[in-house]
Amino acid sequence: MKSLRLGACKAHLTLLFIFIVAFSFSTGSIGQEAFKIGVVNTEEVLKGSEEATKAAETLRVAGERLQNKLQEKADAIRTIHDQKTKTELFVEDAQTADLENQIIQLQQEYQRERELGQQALLEKERELLEPIYKALEELIINVGKAENYDIILEKRLITLYVKEEYDMTQKFIGLMNENGKNGENGEKSE
């Protein structure tokens, strides 16, 4: 889902950039007045964001819990399978049928738990990260308007080279963390 969102965002940003540059050249505005541009690496902002880091840690721990639970099921399946392999040499097929049924049942449980667990992780990821993505988007728009930027681009998707003076990544990391702390403080005081 994230990769689709980034792909669509990349296409929109590329088209927007081309349109703005073409419009600026056609109207002759470049060179006549200052064109204020900035770039931001949103992936780095999210990596540097304390709130996004906490969300990623929560997801990592939940993923490990799911993996451990699934590993226990896989071990149980392997144990019964080994038991069946050892006993089938000495008994009739009908006597090992019960072990085969247990293996099938455990495999179905494993698959069901895996699917449910992955779905739960995706839902939790959406729940935790969507507000952070939205807050970052709003922050970029607000800074762009407040500081009179003509355009702020996603550094990773569009640019090959940018002067450091145009890179706003560290600024947004600071602002995201500042806003996160203000949000935490506001919640505690209510």
Side-chain angles (χ1 to χ4, degrees):
M1 179 173 164
K2 187 175 178 182
S3 63
L4 290 175
R5 186 175 184 182
L6 287 176
C9 184
K10 178 181 178 182
H12 287 125
L13 288 174
T14 302
L15 290 173
L16 178 64
F17 180 74
I18 292 168
F19 173 78
I20 289 173
V21 170
F23 178 76
S24 297
F25 280 121
S26 68
T27 61
S29 64
I30 292 183
Q32 294 178 0
E33 58 185 67
F35 188 78
K36 194 169 181 183
I37 189 168
V39 295
V40 61
N41 183 333
T42 55
E43 184 177 318
E44 287 298 315
V45 173
L46 292 173
K47 283 180 184 176
S49 164
E50 293 169 7
E51 191 174 357
T53 302
K54 288 177 188 174
E57 179 62 17
T58 299
L59 292 170
R60 184 191 65 74
V61 168
E64 284 180 2
R65 260 191 246 126
L66 174 63
Q67 192 62 36
N68 290 338
K69 189 175 183 181
L70 292 175
Q71 187 60 47
E72 288 174 9
K73 284 274 190 218
D75 291 344
I77 293 168
R78 197 173 305 110
T79 300
I80 294 173
H81 190 272
D82 290 347
Q83 182 182 0
K84 178 186 174 243
T85 302
K86 290 176 186 175
T87 59
E88 70 186 349
L89 297 173
F90 304 105
V91 295
E92 297 290 324
D93 288 339
Q95 293 175 327
T96 60
D98 186 42
L99 292 174
E100 184 64 31
N101 288 337
Q102 286 179 351
I103 291 170
I104 291 170
Q105 182 182 1
L106 284 172
Q107 287 173 333
Q108 290 171 345
E109 288 175 18
Y110 176 91
Q111 185 65 25
R112 187 172 43 253
E113 285 186 32
R114 186 171 142 248
E115 289 171 2
L116 290 173
Q118 288 174 338
Q119 183 64 32
L121 283 174
L122 286 173
E123 289 172 7
K124 190 66 171 176
E125 178 181 21
R126 194 175 311 119
E127 175 190 324
L128 291 174
L129 295 179
E130 258 184 40
I132 297 170
Y133 293 146
K134 189 174 235 35
L136 176 57
E137 183 180 333
E138 290 172 4
L139 184 63
I140 291 170
I141 290 169
N142 290 339
V143 167
K145 288 178 181 178
E147 296 183 15
N148 203 26
Y149 276 87
D150 293 301
I151 189 168
I152 298 176
L153 302 171
E154 168 57 68
K155 184 177 180 181
R156 297 172 299 123
L157 300 177
I158 304 250
T159 59
L160 297 175
Y161 169 76
V162 171
K163 284 184 177 180
E164 285 298 315
E165 65 190 77
Y166 298 117
D167 191 339
M168 304 171 71
T169 302
Q170 292 303 315
K171 175 180 185 162
F172 281 111
I173 290 172
L175 289 172
M176 283 291 286
N177 289 332
E178 183 179 308
N179 287 349
K181 288 178 184 174
N182 290 340
E184 288 174 10
N185 292 338
E187 291 173 7
K188 289 179 184 175
S189 64
E190 290 181 355

